[in-house]
Amino acid sequence: MQIFVTQDYGELSLRAAEVVAAQVRAKPASVLGLATGATPLGMYQELRRANNDVSYAQVTTFNLDEFVGLSAGHPGSYHHYMHLNFVRHVDIDPNNVHLPNGLASDLALECEMYEQSISQAGGIDLQVLGIGRNGHIGFNEPHGKFEAGTHVVKLDEASIDANLRFFASRAEVPQYAITIGIRTIMLAQRILLLASGADKAHIIAQAVRGPITPSVPASVLQLHRNVVVIVDRAANQQLTNSEGVQQCFTAYEL
Ligand code: PGA
């Protein structure tokens, strides 16, 4: 794992966007695994800004997850988030943008087809991840199976709480989601894990330095051979002292 510590969220967003842009420049037909949530919002903003320099015309994307029961147009859906924050601003072909269909009548089949589509696209070149306060990546909640592919998951109370901000009331937050699995994530060529803010300090330290355990799903990333972790100073409080940590980002190379 390479760990980079940035001054603040703004720099984290810029550095994360640089990693994504470098990937696309090096391989214009990259397959990107994308995340939603608050953490990557700044990264998408930076990518929009840099769209004159980077073309997504040949890029294919697969998002980590989607709520079950929400239409693509629902303001709380991840389809909507991606459209709003990324897809409509860049030159990507909307046909190459994939998210699980939370309205599928056969959810098991939808999961199988999503997994197959990722394989048929050649697998994920770069997977962007945030981390939940409970250690989840995608919606792989604590105590799930590391060997899982794309599947339907019942959301943790902690995840429902975390998503409250996107809905009018707790009753409206979906209870289930489709998520790609830990196995799918671990098959990505490269992983970019982002954590910002003091409320992520404890869990990111557990994920990166603690025991590898399904009770902290992100801890499995310690077993992946190509992970870049970017944290801001607030999230770094329990992760590293500055010794041995690459504070400067110029060392990053694809
Ligand atoms: P957040 O979510 O970026 O909104 O904190 C991260 C996650 O749940 O993976």
Side-chain angles (χ1 to χ4, degrees):
M1 268 186 188
Q2 284 180 291
I3 302 170
F4 297 94
V5 184
T6 64
Q7 287 299 320
D8 54 24
Y9 178 68
E11 193 194 352
L12 174 144
S13 301
L14 190 63
R15 300 310 180 197
E18 281 173 9
V19 173
V20 174
Q23 171 66 44
V24 175
R25 275 198 202 96
K27 183 180 175 187
S30 285
V31 179
L32 302 179
L34 295 179
T36 53
T39 309
L41 278 173
M43 179 192 82
Y44 290 123
Q45 193 176 22
E46 295 296 339
L47 288 174
R48 297 198 298 261
R49 238 179 240 157
N51 187 220
N52 291 339
D53 303 329
V54 186
S55 172
Y56 298 87
Q58 298 178 58
V59 164
T60 300
T61 65
F62 288 92
N63 264 76
L64 285 166
D65 41 22
E66 179 57 289
F67 293 111
V68 168
L70 296 192
S71 67
H74 189 289
S77 76
Y78 292 156
H79 277 81
H80 181 72
Y81 173 110
M82 290 309 295
H83 180 71
L84 197 67
N85 293 300
F86 184 63
V87 176
R88 68 176 175 154
H89 302 281
V90 298
D91 63 340
I92 194 164
D93 178 349
N95 293 321
N96 292 339
V97 174
H98 304 277
L99 291 97
N101 176 10
L103 287 182
S105 53
D106 185 338
L107 291 172
L109 182 63
E110 172 64 17
C111 292
E112 209 180 302
M113 282 167 38
Y114 199 69
E115 195 73 30
Q116 266 178 26
S117 306
I118 295 172
S119 304
Q120 279 162 11
I124 291 167
D125 292 303
L126 174 68
Q127 176 67 60
V128 180
L129 295 174
I131 182 170
R133 285 158 198 79
N134 62 359
H136 75 197
I137 43 177
F139 271 133
N140 292 280
E141 303 287 34
H143 312 296
K145 291 193 173 79
F146 280 167
E147 62 272 27
T150 303
H151 61 288
V152 176
V153 66
K154 173 142 179 50
L155 300 181
D156 246 28
E157 291 302 310
S159 296
I160 291 173
D161 288 343
N163 280 294
L164 242 179
R165 60 203 148 135
F166 302 115
F167 295 85
S169 70
R170 201 169 199 286
E172 284 180 35
V173 185
Q175 307 273 315
Y176 291 88
I178 296 176
T179 184
I180 71 170
I182 296 280
R183 188 188 68 213
T184 329
I185 291 170
M186 291 297 279
L187 285 172
Q189 294 298 320
R190 165 168 282 191
I191 291 174
L192 174 62
L193 174 64
L194 307 175
S196 168
D199 61 339
K200 296 287 176 72
H202 179 64
I203 196 65
I204 193 73
Q206 275 191 289
V208 171
R209 300 274 182 244
I212 298 168
T213 163
S215 58
V216 181
S219 64
V220 74
L221 300 174
Q222 294 177 40
L223 299 174
H224 193 283
R225 62 187 163 78
N226 198 347
V227 180
V228 174
V229 183
I230 309 180
V231 295
D232 56 18
R233 275 171 59 181
N236 186 46
Q237 286 165 32
Q238 298 176 41
L239 179 59
T240 66
N241 51 35
S242 58
E243 216 177 318
V245 175
Q246 288 150 293
Q247 297 275 1
C248 140
F249 209 79
T250 48
Y252 180 81
E253 275 174 23
L254 196 66

